C-alpha cells in the first residue's frame, strides 16, 4: 500500500479514528484518500464549498441512497455550502413537463442535502453561487465542484480551488477541509499558455465562442489572455468573463485563467510562466461551428448556462419586448435572481413574449429528450457541449440575437 504523505492534526486523526461519528469518519477518509492520491502533505480549512452531482437523472437511485445514508448517519456541513442546479425548477417543474415521479426523486435528493445543512437547510440550487451571496475573497481556499463556478472563483475572484468531484465536495463540506495540492498552492497558479487575441469579441456569446476554441487547445493548462477588449466595470464585463471561463472548462479542463491587467492575480503580479506556449486567435467565430450540429429545426432556445445574472435577463427581456415567440425560450437562473427579475418586471416581459424563466434548473443535466426536445439552440458553448455530450440532443451554438430571432420565427433555419 502507498505510504501516506499527509501530516494530520490531532483533531483530523481523531475524526479518522471515528471519534466524530461514522459520517465524519467517512468524509475525512475521502479527503485523506484524495490527499494521498495527489501527494498533499497537509489538509487546509476551506471557507466555503459548492456541491455538484445534484441531478437525479445523473445520480439515479444508487446516488440518492448513498446521500440519504450519509445524511441519516448524521452528516452535517461545517462551512457555508451551496448546491449546484437540479434537473428541474423545484417549484415549477410541471410547467417544464417533468413527471411527478421524477420530481419526487429530485426533491428527495435536495432534501438529503438540506438534512446535512447545505444552504442553512434551504439550499438555492445554482451554478452561480457568487451571484447570490457565496462570494469568496482573493486568496481564500474553497472547495467548489461545478466547473464553471470553479473557473470563475479562481480567475475572476482570485480564490483557490481545484475542480472537486461530487463526493469530494460533500466530504469537504462535512470536514471543512481539503487537501493542499494543485491550485491551492501559489506556485501552481502561473499560466503556461499565452493566448494572443487578435479577434475582438464584443458580446457574451462571442466570448463563449472564443472560450470554446481556447479550451480545446488548452486542455488542463492555465491560459493568460492578452488583447481582450474588456474594460473592468463595463456593462456585462463579468458576464463575458463568466462565459469565457465556462466554455474553456467545457471544451477543455481549464480551472483557472488570467487576463492581463484585469483578473485580480494578473493585476498584481506577472502570472505568466517564463516557459510557456503561445496561441494566437485570429477569429473566434469557428467556436460556433465547433459545437453546432447541422440541424434545420430547433424546438427549444435555452439561455442561462451558466445561470443568468439580472443583467443578462434584462438583455433578453429588452430583445423580446413586444414580440411573440413561436417556439419555447427558457431562461434559467438562481431563484433569488428570478425574484429580482420579477420585481423589475423583466419576467413579465419575457412571459408576455411567450418565454419562461425557471429557477434551480440546468437543461444539460435534465432528461431533455423525454421532455420532448430534440434540438436546442443556445448562446452558450458550455450548454451546447453538454447538450450534445450528456443530454444526447442536437445543439446549435449561436449568438443570443440569432437564438431570439429563431424563437421569433419558427419557419427559419437557425
Ligand atoms: Fe450551470 Fe448547467 Fe451550464 S450547471 S454552467 S447551467 S451546464
Amino acid at each position: 500500500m502507498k505510504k501516506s504523505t499527509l501530516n494530520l492534526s490531532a483533531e483530523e486523526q481523531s475524526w479518522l479514528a471515528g471519534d466524530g461519528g461514522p459520517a465524519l469518519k467517512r468524509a475525512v477518509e475521502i479527503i485523506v484518500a484524495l490527499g494521498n492520491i495527489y501527494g498533499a502533505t497537509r489538509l487546509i480549512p476551506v471557507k466555503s464549498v459548492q456541491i455538484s452531482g445534484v441531478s437525479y437523472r445523473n445520480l439515479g437511485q444508487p446516488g440518492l441512497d448513498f446521500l440519504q445514508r450519509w445524511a441519516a448517519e448524521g452528516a452535517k456541513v461545517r462551512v457555508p455550502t451551496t448546491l449546484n442546479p437540479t434537473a428541474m425548477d423545484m417549484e415549477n417543474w410541471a410547467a417544464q413537463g417533468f413527471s411527478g415521479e421524477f420530481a419526487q426523486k429530485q426533491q428527495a435528493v435536495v432534501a438529503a442535502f438540506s438534512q446535512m445543512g447545505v444552504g442553512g437547510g434551504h439550499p438555492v440550487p445554482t451554478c452561480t453561487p457568487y451571484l447570490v451571496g457565496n462570494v469568496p475573497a482573493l486568496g481564500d481556499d474553497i472547495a467548489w465542484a461545478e466547473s464553471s463556478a470553479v473557473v470563475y472563483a479562481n480567475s475572476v475572484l482570485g480564490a483557490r480551488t481545484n475542480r472537486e468531484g461530487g463526493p469530494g465536495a460533500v466530504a469537504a463540506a462535512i470536514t471543512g477541509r481539503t487537501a493542499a495540492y494543485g491550485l491551492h498552492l501559489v506556485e501552481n497558479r502561473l499560466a503556461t499558455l499565452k493566448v494572443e487575441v487578435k479577434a475582438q469579441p464584443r458580446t457574451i456569446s462571442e466570448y463563449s465562442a472564443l472560450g470554446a476554441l481556447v479550451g480545446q487547445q488548452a486542455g488542463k493548462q492555465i491560459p493568460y489572455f492578452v488583447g481582450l477588449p474588456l474594460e473592468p466595470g463595463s456593462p456585462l464585463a463579468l458576464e463575458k468573463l463568466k462565459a469565457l471561463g465556462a466554455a474553456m472548462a467545457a471544451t477543455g479542463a481549464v480551472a483557472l485563467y488570467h487576463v492581463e491587467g484585469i483578473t485580480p492575480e494578473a493585476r498584481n503580479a506577472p502570472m505568466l510562466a517564463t516557459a510557456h506556449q503561445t496561441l494566437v486567435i485570429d477569429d473566434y467565430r469557428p467556436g460556433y461551428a465547433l459545437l453546432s450540429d447541422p440541424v434545420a429545426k430547433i424546438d427549444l432556445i435555452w439561455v442561462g448556462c451558466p445561470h443568468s445574472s439580472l443583467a443578462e435577463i434584462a438583455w433578453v427581456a429588452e430583445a423580446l419586448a413586444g414580440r411573440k415567440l413561436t417556439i419555447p425560450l427558457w431562461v434559467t437562473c438562481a431563484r433569488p435572481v428570478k425574484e429580482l427579475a420579477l420585481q423589475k418586471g423583466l419576467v413579465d416581459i419575457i412571459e408576455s413574449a411567450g418565454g419562461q424563466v425557471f429557477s434551480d434548473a440546468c437543461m444539460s443535466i435534465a432528461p431533455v429528450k423525454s421532455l420532448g426536445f430534440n434540438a436546442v439552440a443556445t448562446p452558450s458553448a458550455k450548454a451546447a457541449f453538454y447538450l450534445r455530450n450528456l443530454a444526447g440532443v442536437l445543439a446549435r451554438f449561436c449568438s443570443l440575437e440569432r437564438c431570439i430571432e429563431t424563437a421569433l420565427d419558427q419557419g427559419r433555419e437557425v
Side-chain angles (χ1 to χ4, degrees), residues 84-85 126-128 146 148 246 302 304-307 332 361-365 380 382-383 386:
N84 224 26
T126 183
C127 48
T128 54
E146 204 287 312
S148 73
W302 174 30
C305 170
H307 274 176
T332 49
C362 161
M363 302 321 297
S364 295
I365 52 171
S380 160
K382 180 172 180 183
Y386 283 107

Side-chain angles (χ1 to χ4, degrees), residues 24 36 48 61 77 80 185 221 261 288 295 343 357 364-365 375 414:
L24 187 54
N36 283 325
S48 72
Q61 191 62 42
V77 304
L185 308 179
Q221 293 188 84
Y288 289 126
V295 51
Q343 286 165 20
V357 180
S364 295
I365 52 171
V414 196

Side-chain angles (χ1 to χ4, degrees), residues 55 57-58 86-87 302 305 361-368 380-393:
S55 164
R57 176 184 184 264
N58 295 348
T86 67
W302 174 30
C305 170
C362 161
M363 302 321 297
S364 295
I365 52 171
V368 183
S380 160
K382 180 172 180 183
F385 182 90
Y386 283 107
L387 284 165
R388 299 168 94 203
N389 294 307
L390 196 59
V393 295

Side-chain angles (χ1 to χ4, degrees), residues 130-373:
Y130 46 86
L131 295 180
V132 291
N134 185 354
V135 192
L138 181 66
D140 279 357
D141 285 300
I142 57 176
W144 286 20
E146 204 287 312
S147 66
S148 73
V150 165
V151 71
Y152 190 94
N154 272 320
S155 314
V156 182
L157 304 175
R160 297 176 189 166
T161 179
N162 293 311
R163 277 169 65 140
E164 297 285 348
V170 180
I174 294 168
T175 58
R177 305 279 202 283
T178 193
Y181 69 93
L183 294 176
H184 291 288
L185 308 179
V186 176
E187 61 269 29
N188 293 334
R189 296 178 67 87
L190 283 183
T192 49
L193 180 68
K194 183 179 182 190
V195 183
E196 295 179 6
V197 182
K198 307 281 188 205
Q200 295 289 291
R202 296 167 298 107
T203 65
I204 296 171
S205 65
E206 288 171 1
Y207 273 80
S208 193
L210 171 67
L213 289 179
V214 175
Q216 194 191 36
Q217 300 288 322
K220 286 186 172 172
Q221 293 188 84
I222 300 174
Y224 184 94
F225 286 91
V226 294
L228 278 185
L230 202 59
E231 288 295 322
S234 60
L236 298 175
L238 292 179
E239 284 79 0
K240 290 170 188 172
L241 293 173
K242 168 162 83 82
L244 177 69
M248 291 190 290
T251 59
V254 172
L256 164 65
Y257 67 91
H258 303 291
V259 181
E260 187 175 55
I262 291 187
T263 52
E265 285 167 290
R267 275 202 302 267
N268 302 326
M271 293 303 292
L272 182 61
T274 312
H276 61 262
Q277 296 175 306
T278 299
L279 174 66
V280 178
I281 301 286
D282 290 317
D283 188 359
Y284 54 79
R285 286 172 297 184
Y288 289 126
L290 186 68
L291 295 168
S292 292
D293 295 298
V295 51
K297 186 177 171 301
I298 294 293
D299 41 27
L300 173 69
I301 311 292
W302 174 30
V303 182
C305 170
H307 274 176
S308 292
S309 67
L310 190 62
E312 284 171 295
I313 297 176
W315 191 94
V316 176
E318 192 183 330
L320 290 180
R323 309 176 88 170
K324 280 286 170 208
L325 301 170
T326 55
I327 56 174
L329 181 149
W330 291 0
V331 179
T332 49
C333 62
R335 189 165 295 279
V337 173
K338 180 174 176 184
E339 276 156 21
L340 288 173
L342 269 166
Q343 286 165 20
K344 290 192 172 294
L346 302 173
V347 175
D348 278 352
I349 295 170
I350 292 171
E351 288 181 351
S352 298
Q356 285 165 294
V357 180
F358 292 110
S359 301
D360 317 314
C362 161
M363 302 321 297
S364 295
I365 52 171
V368 183
K369 273 192 167 171
S370 61
L371 295 177
F373 303 117

